[in-house]
Amino acid sequence: MSEVFEGYERQYCEVSASLFRKCTAASALDGEKKKQRLSEIQSGVQEAESLIRKMDLEARSLQPSTKAGLLAKLREYKSDLNNLKSEIKRISAPNARQATREELLESGMADTLAVSTDQRGRLMMTTERLNQSTDRIKQSRTTMLEAEDLGVSILQDLHQQRQSLLHAHTTLHGVDDNIGKSKKILAAMSKRMDRNKWIIGGIMSALVLAILIILYFKFAY
């Protein structure tokens, strides 16, 4: 069921139950107090009609499988409201209090009260179902919030792990740079050693040649 429809339905049940109580109280009043109470009832009826229109629009915007059940329930609410309007007209009529007494004597009012009681019972049952639905929605929201907190915690852990990986990557990059520098130094040292080998070889060759020349002149003369 649509949460929007349930919200309107809950408001309607509360308004309707309040109107029935006010009608019962107004039937026992006279004069200005009665007019004031009837004015309050008319305002409540307008609010109830507005809620029924909102429920009707919301129900017709839903899927056919859901819409059919809601429209059937809406027809019951419209019937209840029509009965309430009839009761208001009866109370508003001149000598309504006397008429009420006569109807009670003729037991006609007993049937009306029975209908009102039945309607109130249905409204109370509907209100209870709505309250149960509200509790389930609250539980679902609590579960969603807990899941959201868990997701945030997991994201924070992942962020910390990412930072650790980035730090390790930076460290490895620094090691690579140092290895590259070491390779360059070793290459330079290798070149220098090769150059020194050639120099030493040249010096040794010159010494051997000098010794051979000395020996030649020594034995020749």
Side-chain angles (χ1 to χ4, degrees):
M1 185 184 293
S2 169
E3 291 186 14
V4 176
F5 186 92
E6 286 184 350
Y8 292 147
E9 186 179 23
R10 188 182 305 107
Q11 294 178 44
Y12 173 79
C13 290
E14 294 173 355
V15 171
S16 180
S18 176
L19 288 173
F20 275 110
R21 289 193 298 269
K22 289 180 179 179
C23 284
T24 302
S27 62
L29 298 176
D30 288 321
E32 292 299 324
K33 290 183 178 180
K34 184 174 183 179
K35 290 181 180 180
Q36 182 179 358
R37 185 57 59 88
L38 288 174
S39 178
E40 295 176 0
I41 292 172
Q42 290 296 338
S43 298
V45 169
Q46 292 176 1
E47 183 179 358
E49 290 176 338
S50 175
L51 289 170
I52 283 181
R53 287 194 297 270
K54 291 178 180 178
M55 283 190 287
D56 185 68
L57 291 174
E58 178 64 21
R60 294 182 187 280
S61 67
L62 299 175
Q63 297 294 329
S65 57
T66 305
K67 178 170 65 176
L70 297 181
L71 290 177
K73 184 181 294 186
L74 194 58
R75 284 193 292 271
E76 293 182 3
Y77 292 150
K78 289 179 179 180
S79 176
D80 292 340
L81 186 59
N82 288 332
N83 291 334
L84 179 61
K85 289 179 179 180
S86 298
E87 178 68 10
I88 294 170
K89 288 181 180 179
R90 187 189 63 77
I91 295 173
S92 302
N95 299 323
R97 192 170 183 178
Q98 181 64 29
T100 301
R101 291 174 181 174
E102 292 176 357
E103 288 176 0
L104 285 172
L105 292 173
E106 295 172 359
S107 71
M109 186 60 185
D111 295 336
T112 303
L113 291 175
V115 173
S116 299
T117 302
D118 183 61
Q119 291 172 345
R120 290 173 187 172
R122 290 202 304 270
L123 289 172
M124 290 177 66
M125 291 177 61
T126 302
T127 302
E128 184 177 356
R129 289 198 299 270
L130 288 172
N131 290 333
Q132 292 175 355
S133 300
T134 302
D135 292 338
R136 288 196 297 270
I137 292 171
K138 288 181 179 178
Q139 292 176 357
S140 299
R141 288 178 178 174
T142 302
T143 303
M144 290 175 62
L145 290 174
E146 291 176 352
E148 183 179 355
D149 292 338
L150 179 61
V152 171
S153 177
I154 292 173
L155 288 175
Q156 289 176 348
D157 292 340
L158 292 174
H159 179 71
Q160 292 176 356
Q161 293 176 6
R162 180 176 179 273
Q163 293 296 326
S164 299
L165 291 173
L166 289 175
H167 179 70
H169 177 73
T170 302
T171 303
L172 290 174
H173 183 71
V175 172
D176 290 340
D177 291 341
N178 292 331
I179 292 173
K181 292 178 181 178
S182 299
K183 286 182 178 180
K184 290 180 180 179
I185 293 172
L186 290 174
M189 291 175 64
S190 177
K191 290 180 181 180
R192 188 175 299 171
M193 289 176 65
D194 291 339
R195 187 169 62 251
N196 290 337
K197 285 180 181 179
W198 283 104
I199 293 173
I200 293 171
I203 293 172
M204 291 179 66
S205 298
L207 290 174
V208 171
L209 181 61
I211 291 170
L212 290 175
I213 292 173
I214 291 171
L215 291 174
Y216 173 76
F217 281 107
K218 183 177 180 180
F219 289 107
Y221 297 100

